[in-house]
Amino acid sequence: MGSTVIGRGKAVRRSVMFSDLSAQREGSSLLCRPASEDQGPVFERTTIDYSPCTERYRLGERSFSRQYAHIYAARLMEMRPLLSERAKHKWGSDVLIKKLCDLETGEQCCIVGTLFKRMDLQPSILKEISEEHNLLPQPARTKYITEADELILEDELQRIKLEGKIDRDKCVTGSVIVIYGAEKNDGKFTVEDFCMADLPLQTPRPELGSDKFVLLASGLGLGSSKADSMLGLQLLVDMVTGQLGDTGEQSGAATISRVLLAGNLLSQSTQDKDASTKPKYLTKKTQAGSVEAMRLLDELLLQLVASVPVDVMPGECDPTNYTLPQQPLHKCMFPLSSAYPTLQLVSNPYSANIDGVRFLGTSGQNVCDIRRYSSMESHLEILEETLRLRHLAPTAPDTLGCYPFYQRDPFILEDCPHVYFSGNAPVFGSKLVKGSDGQEVLLVTVPDFSSTQTACLVNLRTLQCEPVFFSAFSADEDEESEMNVSH
Amino acid sequence: MDELYLDNIDEYVNDHNKIVTYKWLSLTLGVHVNTAKQMLYHYLEHKRKESSPQLHATYLVSGKLEGNGQTCHHVSLVREDQLEDFKSKMSLIVSVHVYSVQKALLKDSGPLYSVDYDAVKDNLKNCSKYSSIRCTNAVPMSAAELQQFQDVQRAPPPVPESKTSVTNGNSSTASKPSSKPQKGIMGMFANKSAPKSQDNSKEVKSEQKEESSSVTEAVKSKQALKSNPVANFFGTQTKKPDKPAKKEEEVVALEQQHQRTAPEEEQEPAAMQSHKETKSDSRSKTKRTEVSDSEEEIMEKKKRRRIKRPEPDSSDEDVIPDSPPQLKTKEKSPEKEPEAVRPSHASSETKIRKRRKVLKSRTFLDDEGCIVTEKGYVSESYSETEDDFQSTKQAPHASIKAKTTSSSKDDEKKSHKKSSASSNKGTKQASIMGFFQKK
């Protein structure tokens, strides 16, 4: 039987999956007669230290009468010293770092600024309402990039067009980078090399003695008209609460010490604004779809919180504010489950320290938005890109709704997380990224449960992630091969 | 263990034609889930030996599935006929057990979900009672703890909010005052109170920036529930429904300045006593007076504010989280409110209330039961801006008094209507309807 090496000297990093661990646990098969007077085993849920970082993404009083320029200014101000350091590190400490207004033609130097990508297809409200153009509103597209896009670098005072060795399609507006090159005669800056802020410093995580798991799931999609995923969801809940499986699996499930729901708990269909378009007499007694869906969610959460601490993050389709950072769902919507202290309603993005392991993640809006405005397709790739840029959501506030912050940009990563996730991805993906200063980050793209029936289990000790797939049978398939594992 | 359960299951499956899932069985019979699974297995075995009518079962298989270079933990619900097939596909099997037993062959697993859903729904409180994992933290808080929790939540968020509001609010030079949707009663007075509350919050904002007049602080300190021991002297200060949490936060922040308010407040009790009687008759409806009193306070502040500052925007979110606790405090202390209102009202009176003689039309019912409107000088208390409000209040009171003296109910109604109508118009002649009274 494969054994796990736990903390004896240098731990050998073996692939220790949840399945392996559960299979190793002692447990009798349940394909037998019930033993007399045996009440059935009861396992204690593993407890962990938990401290959320609530202040960063909470908004107190909100004022929307400010311009968004302040957030860009704060972003540049905070990232400029970091990037200058990176530049010196990469291109020599004697490299010139200049502001755009001090540029001289032909001089090799570095410039630090915010990227702006001018895209013709970018939806513009001004174009929409402009009467002289007489345009119909642009239909939604999957990608808004074209060949004719231009990259521009902006700093506090000026902007300059970029050309050269920079992959225009990969870049997105709002990223702060440092560029090495020279300004040529035509007024454009020729890029020879560029560099991002890269990973911030990381406090090393403590050595854990035993395997503890955190379950990440997103896109539960409650309240949708097609209820295919409901059984899968029930299986998930049953597994986590220790009802499913035999004793080995149940004791394994007891090591799942926390559940994190990363957004889109309600389905997209609850967002339909039918009520506003239909005449009043047809919609008088009808409730919004989200009301029933929230009730379902409350019942589901009740089953979970009675057994495991749960963090609930709002997502794009959930009843909270639209702009990032999304504020936590209000506990008045959870009359049954909010009685339990194990229910934590948290913001999106979310950051917490779970047993010494720093988790940071969003419900996926930032990644989806970058995907629309760049050539990158894989959510995992985009997630890594945001980590390297040291910014959760560079496209905010340009194309992603964001609160007009004034003196700070809370989306800048100040210290490096150990687990960096984003929810509602089309497929599961995980990758371990190593930084130049010894940082180790596990990137996880949590798949959308309603379409993939897959959740993720992160092992806090080994920092590995394993997908958990739930399936049932249905009339359409005769063959059971549902190999829905990611490719 | 009794074999009774076999009969039970038999009854459910055969007689009631139910789909018996392990969860449903465990909740119905009150046994551990694992025991339920074993029971189902035993029943299946038993029935199959007896070669009774066809029974079908579904199994739960979980294990490690490898495919496309990725391994995943696969939990699957399978039909009995698919069981072996499934098991062979897995690289490592973690658990297999009976999920459900039913008479009919299920093509689709949908009904299994509905059975479980109903079972859980009926037993929401003890859905985890029979599971095999206990969590020590997962104990529902009692009502008292919940209240405590809410109070704790209310107190710290205002403190960080005050910090954020400083950083966010200070910069807004071009910020426009946003009209806060006034809820409930205040909605009736929306036009009046909105600008007033804005001014009020403007003043409150500037409070933070400059340590200014202690008078305003006195007003605010009155609103402080727990933090100010002097305020507790009044014992019953509650938050007004229209004052958002941000007032509290500023009170908390300015706690150290409450010492200054002590001498102020000592003056107030004296004033309070003298004015209590005069204002007692106007307390026909507690809520309305409460509203009007708060309005007077707002105006009082407005008057004192000489420097106008751009008002920082208030957020709806601030109001919403607070409204449940506020509602609670409202419910908890309805008796407290009139009392609280009285001292504050009285104190506000000392500042700006004056009495003057005003020429007013007084309507009353004379001995014959006729409505008579007369002009006369009436001593009336007033404040600079609240003229009209006071006058409208006085007239209905006069008519109410008139009502009590008359005999017939019809007369009362008509007279009430007429008196209000006539007083509103301020007519100088008896209404023509007076002729129809005598009958």
Side-chain angles (χ1 to χ4, degrees):
Chain A
M1 175 126 71
S3 57
T4 62
V5 179
I6 299 176
R8 191 83 71 76
K10 277 217 158 154
V12 175
R13 177 78 63 82
R14 284 206 204 150
S15 178
V16 181
M17 294 298 189
F18 182 73
S19 358
D20 299 318
L21 290 172
S22 304
Q24 287 155 21
R25 287 174 202 277
E26 266 199 36
S28 50
S29 166
L30 287 174
L31 293 171
C32 64
R33 284 169 163 227
S36 53
E37 305 310 331
D38 191 1
Q39 258 307 295
V42 172
F43 304 103
E44 276 296 318
R45 174 81 60 191
T46 336
T47 48
I48 42 169
D49 295 321
Y50 166 73
S51 58
C53 311
T54 43
E55 284 324 308
R56 200 169 166 80
Y57 304 109
R58 291 300 298 268
L59 298 170
E61 235 186 67
R62 275 165 251 189
S63 158
F64 286 93
S65 55
R66 245 177 270 127
Q67 294 282 335
Y68 283 106
H70 302 290
I71 191 176
Y72 283 118
R75 196 183 290 181
L76 186 57
M77 201 162 70
E78 194 171 331
M79 301 210 52
R80 185 180 274 277
L82 307 167
L83 285 167
S84 308
E85 219 184 283
R86 288 271 174 221
K88 290 200 160 70
H89 189 77
K90 192 165 177 183
W91 300 303
S93 49
D94 53 347
V95 72
L96 291 165
I97 300 178
K98 288 199 146 184
K99 298 228 169 164
L100 285 178
C101 47
D102 302 326
L103 272 185
E104 284 166 38
T105 330
E107 190 189 11
Q108 288 282 76
C109 60
C110 288
I111 46 174
V112 178
T114 316
L115 273 178
F116 175 74
K117 189 154 87 167
R118 185 187 289 139
M119 296 173 275
D120 287 330
L121 290 178
Q122 183 176 347
S124 161
I125 187 71
L126 298 175
K127 280 191 203 154
E128 269 182 43
I129 62 175
S130 159
E131 278 170 13
E132 57 183 51
H133 286 255
N134 218 18
L135 283 174
L136 292 165
Q138 218 184 36
R141 301 166 67 103
T142 45
K143 289 228 179 270
Y144 292 94
I145 53 174
T146 56
E147 277 307 306
D149 296 339
E150 285 178 339
L151 266 185
I152 295 164
L153 192 79
E154 274 187 28
D155 73 357
E156 293 93 346
L157 298 172
Q158 290 188 355
R159 45 154 59 178
I160 192 165
K161 277 204 193 141
L162 297 176
E163 57 184 12
K165 292 186 193 148
I166 185 163
D167 188 350
R168 177 202 62 204
D169 289 329
K170 254 186 98 175
C171 295
V172 282
T173 304
S175 349
V176 186
I177 57 173
V178 61
I179 295 181
Y180 181 68
E183 185 191 350
K184 294 283 152 46
N185 282 337
D186 58 356
K188 293 192 192 168
F189 195 90
T190 309
V191 181
E192 282 174 38
D193 197 5
F194 70 98
C195 169
M196 298 188 262
D198 219 15
L199 278 69
L201 289 176
Q202 188 184 63
T203 42
R205 62 192 168 90
E207 286 281 330
L208 289 173
S210 58
D211 291 291
K212 295 180 192 176
F213 291 89
V214 171
L215 184 87
L216 297 172
S218 75
L220 304 183
L222 291 168
S224 72
S225 41
K226 43 186 188 82
D228 300 344
S229 64
M230 294 307 286
L231 182 56
L233 203 52
Q234 191 61 50
L235 289 176
L236 172 70
V237 172
D238 286 345
M239 187 194 91
V240 174
T241 54
Q243 299 189 22
L244 219 57
D246 64 9
T247 43
E249 176 147 12
Q250 286 166 345
S251 74
T255 59
I256 299 178
S257 42
R258 200 159 193 99
V259 172
L260 217 157
L261 298 174
N264 280 2
L265 308 154
L266 265 50
S267 139
Q268 176 71 41
S269 55
T270 58
Q271 296 281 304
D272 283 341
K273 304 267 192 289
D274 274 347
S276 56
T277 48
K278 274 193 187 162
K280 281 281 184 207
Y281 65 88
L282 285 175
T283 58
K284 192 163 182 197
K285 290 277 172 82
T286 53
Q287 274 178 341
S290 47
V291 175
E292 179 64 23
M294 284 310 282
R295 200 184 51 80
L296 276 175
L297 179 65
D298 191 28
E299 283 168 11
L300 191 89
L301 282 178
L302 178 67
Q303 294 174 54
L304 275 177
V305 294
S307 170
V308 65
V310 183
D311 292 332
V312 181
M313 285 169 68
E316 200 179 336
C317 310
D318 295 324
T320 183
N321 57 314
Y322 165 73
T323 52
L324 284 189
Q326 283 185 303
Q327 299 302 288
L329 297 167
H330 200 279
K331 72 185 200 38
C332 69
M333 295 194 279
F334 303 103
L336 297 167
S337 37
S338 57
Y340 286 80
T342 41
L343 179 71
Q344 285 276 341
L345 297 163
V346 295
S347 60
N348 168 31
Y350 171 55
S351 165
N353 201 315
I354 301 178
D355 224 15
V357 178
R358 268 210 73 217
F359 275 70
L360 174 66
T362 63
S363 299
Q365 292 113 315
N366 53 336
V367 174
C368 287
D369 199 58
I370 294 176
R371 192 162 170 270
R372 276 196 282 263
Y373 295 99
S374 78
S375 58
M376 295 187 274
E377 286 289 344
S378 146
H379 278 234
L380 199 59
E381 190 189 342
I382 295 172
L383 199 61
E384 189 179 349
E385 190 74 7
T386 59
L387 185 63
R388 299 246 177 241
L389 279 171
R390 212 190 279 208
H391 200 277
L392 272 177
T395 51
D398 186 39
T399 42
L400 183 63
C402 165
Y403 173 73
F405 287 102
Y406 177 65
Q407 278 177 348
R408 62 186 182 119
D409 183 354
F411 301 117
I412 299 177
L413 271 67
E414 280 182 352
D415 49 8
C416 196
H418 297 106
V419 179
Y420 183 43
F421 65 90
S422 89
N424 299 299
V427 288
F428 166 78
S430 88
K431 184 175 172 184
L432 198 62
V433 167
K434 295 224 195 296
S436 52
D437 295 315
Q439 301 102 329
E440 254 185 4
V441 188
L442 174 69
L443 300 178
V444 182
T445 51
V446 188
D448 176 56
F449 196 86
S450 56
S451 53
T452 60
Q453 309 279 79
T454 313
C456 325
L457 273 174
V458 176
N459 186 334
L460 293 178
R461 187 178 66 85
T462 62
L463 221 56
Q464 285 178 325
C465 187
E466 181 187 2
V468 188
F469 175 54
F470 298 90
S471 71
F473 54 90
S474 73
D476 328 314
E477 331 136 351
D478 285 325
E479 60 282 5
E480 267 307 312
S481 53
E482 282 211 288
M483 306 280 276
N484 210 355
V485 199
S486 67
H487 30 81
Chain B
M1 184 174 275
D2 299 338
E3 305 283 302
L4 264 179
Y5 61 84
L6 284 177
D7 296 328
N8 283 338
I9 302 175
D10 196 34
E11 190 189 325
Y12 295 132
V13 175
N14 282 321
D15 303 343
H16 300 286
N17 217 358
K18 271 187 166 5
I19 300 175
V20 181
T21 60
Y22 76 91
K23 203 197 270 188
W24 186 87
L25 191 67
S26 114
L27 287 169
T28 315
L29 294 183
V31 292
H32 193 275
V33 283
N34 288 0
T35 321
K37 294 167 198 165
Q38 287 169 329
M39 284 181 186
L40 283 177
Y41 179 77
H42 186 195
Y43 174 74
L44 258 182
E45 227 187 358
H46 179 76
K47 279 289 166 181
R48 295 248 165 97
K49 272 189 218 152
E50 289 180 5
S51 63
S52 329
Q54 207 33 288
L55 279 180
H56 294 99
T58 58
Y59 286 81
L60 186 94
V61 183
S62 77
K64 199 157 133 177
L65 190 66
E66 278 177 39
N68 300 351
Q70 271 240 1
T71 56
C72 78
H73 184 75
H74 192 161
V75 177
S76 179
L77 204 58
V78 292
R79 286 198 296 257
E80 201 165 5
D81 43 335
Q82 302 160 328
L83 180 62
E84 291 309 317
D85 195 32
F86 232 89
K87 275 162 80 169
S88 60
K89 285 197 191 131
M90 300 240 176
S91 62
L92 173 67
I93 297 185
V94 177
S95 66
V96 183
H97 67 79
V98 181
Y99 191 88
S100 77
V101 173
Q102 62 276 344
K103 239 167 56 166
L105 175 67
L106 283 178
K107 284 266 181 328
D108 191 63
S109 46
L112 290 172
Y113 170 68
S114 18
V115 169
D116 276 344
Y117 179 74
D118 293 331
V120 169
K121 194 112 193 264
D122 297 331
N123 290 297
L124 271 178
K125 289 254 155 59
N126 22 332
C127 44
S128 268
K129 198 166 155 194
Y130 302 111
S131 86
S132 62
I133 299 179
R134 289 270 176 279
C135 179
T136 44
N137 294 343
V139 176
M141 302 188 279
S142 60
E145 283 178 317
L146 264 173
Q147 186 59 36
Q148 238 182 17
F149 186 62
Q150 275 174 12
D151 291 340
V152 164
Q153 269 198 330
R154 252 187 283 130
V159 176
E161 266 175 33
S162 64
K163 288 189 208 141
T164 52
S165 56
V166 170
T167 48
N168 285 338
N170 271 350
S171 58
S172 52
T173 47
S175 56
K176 288 175 272 179
S178 63
S179 52
K180 233 186 318 179
Q182 297 288 332
K183 296 200 168 139
I185 311 140
M186 289 310 286
M188 291 201 293
F189 303 97
N191 292 335
K192 255 197 196 172
S193 52
K196 283 184 194 141
S197 65
Q198 285 165 17
D199 292 337
N200 187 19
S201 43
K202 270 192 224 174
E203 293 135 20
V204 163
K205 257 298 153 196
S206 51
E207 281 284 321
Q208 259 195 330
K209 296 167 195 169
E210 36 171 73
E211 262 99 349
S212 48
S213 59
S214 52
V215 182
T216 358
E217 282 162 45
V219 177
K220 286 203 291 180
S221 68
K222 278 185 288 177
Q223 296 166 8
L225 258 186
K226 308 146 198 172
S227 40
N228 196 342
V230 184
N232 286 337
F233 169 73
F234 297 109
T236 55
Q237 305 283 348
T238 53
K239 294 188 294 286
K240 302 264 191 272
D242 56 330
K243 302 283 189 292
K246 112 182 131 153
K247 296 287 182 329
E248 286 174 62
E249 95 209 26
E250 271 125 33
V251 172
V252 170
L254 296 168
E255 238 185 30
Q256 65 277 10
Q257 291 160 5
H258 287 170
Q259 313 312 321
R260 275 196 270 152
T261 66
E264 290 264 345
E265 292 192 333
E266 273 153 57
Q267 294 173 19
E268 286 164 44
M272 177 176 87
Q273 297 308 321
S274 57
H275 284 265
K276 229 178 185 175
E277 300 88 41
T278 53
K279 279 298 132 191
S280 56
D281 57 335
S282 57
R283 305 231 181 280
S284 48
K285 295 174 195 171
T286 338
K287 278 190 177 175
R288 286 193 73 187
T289 48
E290 174 199 312
V291 154
S292 61
D293 293 334
S294 52
E295 279 196 314
E296 282 151 13
E297 274 189 52
I298 296 162
M299 284 173 327
E300 177 191 316
K301 282 181 212 151
K302 183 188 177 183
K303 278 180 62 186
R304 234 168 273 114
R305 262 300 123 214
R306 301 288 174 251
I307 310 160
K308 294 232 165 184
R309 297 258 164 180
E311 189 243 4
D313 300 324
S314 49
S315 80
D316 297 343
E317 288 298 300
D318 272 355
V319 177
I320 295 166
D322 275 302
S323 46
Q326 275 176 5
L327 279 170
K328 281 203 175 159
T329 53
K330 254 171 90 173
E331 288 160 13
K332 268 205 294 192
S333 55
E335 336 79 50
K336 289 185 195 170
E337 282 173 344
E339 266 191 294
V341 157
R342 244 173 260 132
S344 52
H345 186 81
S347 59
S348 61
E349 300 238 319
T350 54
K351 319 292 187 215
I352 53 162
R353 295 229 148 260
K354 294 176 197 164
R355 294 200 85 83
R356 66 172 178 190
K357 290 240 183 252
V358 173
L359 186 67
K360 284 192 80 64
S361 309
R362 205 165 50 91
T363 313
F364 61 94
L365 201 63
D366 70 7
D367 317 311
E368 298 166 56
C370 304
I371 306 297
V372 179
T373 311
E374 263 183 15
K375 271 202 280 188
Y377 280 101
V378 173
S379 168
E380 188 179 271
S381 80
Y382 90 113
S383 71
E384 277 179 15
T385 47
E386 244 206 334
D387 255 355
D388 302 332
F389 192 64
Q390 277 301 316
S391 58
T392 50
K393 265 178 76 176
Q394 290 293 343
H397 290 139
S399 58
I400 288 163
K401 279 187 206 156
K403 262 204 281 190
T404 52
T405 56
S406 72
S407 41
S408 76
K409 284 187 185 169
D410 290 335
D411 279 352
E412 272 183 24
K413 282 189 208 153
K414 284 188 196 160
S415 63
H416 181 63
K417 265 192 264 168
K418 268 154 234 151
S419 62
S420 46
S422 52
S423 61
N424 283 347
K425 287 184 218 158
T427 48
K428 290 158 188 149
Q429 61 194 28
S431 159
I432 199 172
M433 291 309 288
F435 290 115
F436 301 92
Q437 281 304 308
K438 284 192 182 172
K439 295 162 198 167

